[in-house]
Amino acid sequence: MRNIHQRSHFTISILALMLIVSLSGMGFAADGQVDLNAGTAKELQQLPGVGKGLAKRIVDYRTANGPFKTVEDLIKVKGIGKKTFAKIQDRLTVGSSPQAASSE
């Protein structure tokens, strides 16, 4: 019986590790922030006040202009004003090595 419990704990540990590794390649940082340079439109929609259209404009802006250098650069995107930015700035980050992310 003890052997079964050990296997169960091992399996849960492996699954947890796999989940952490799989999420690390996404646009979410470990602390729940969204990376403006790697986040997909769906990930960006998790931010307060960011719907489908605005998330697409963020991705389109990034595609057309290159990676965001600072989170404050987000204000350059049409539809992101000072109030919206103030609501979400604590949940934003810009990765050091941006990756191409789809707009889905």
Side-chain angles (χ1 to χ4, degrees):
M1 189 67 146
R2 182 175 178 198
N3 200 13
I4 293 172
H5 289 318
Q6 287 175 333
R7 284 186 198 159
S8 178
H9 289 297
F10 178 75
T11 302
I12 291 170
S13 297
I14 293 297
L15 290 173
L17 181 60
M18 289 171 57
L19 177 63
I20 291 168
V21 169
S22 69
L23 290 176
S24 68
M26 301 174 106
F28 287 108
D31 57 3
Q33 291 183 315
V34 178
D35 185 336
L36 290 174
N37 292 326
T40 64
K42 285 187 179 185
E43 291 166 341
L44 292 164
Q45 287 177 56
Q46 302 303 309
L47 297 166
V50 177
K52 190 174 186 176
L54 186 51
K56 183 180 181 326
R57 284 197 301 276
I58 294 169
V59 172
D60 290 346
Y61 181 91
R62 179 179 68 207
T63 302
N65 299 288
F68 291 93
K69 292 180 179 81
T70 67
V71 294
E72 290 80 9
D73 286 343
L74 185 63
I75 293 177
K76 297 175 183 177
V77 176
K78 182 179 177 184
I80 300 284
K82 290 181 181 181
K83 287 182 183 180
T84 301
F85 180 74
K87 282 193 275 186
I88 63 175
Q89 72 181 30
D90 292 340
R91 302 222 11 230
L92 301 174
T93 186
V94 289
S96 58
S97 59
Q99 64 188 65
S102 71
S103 62
E104 294 197 34

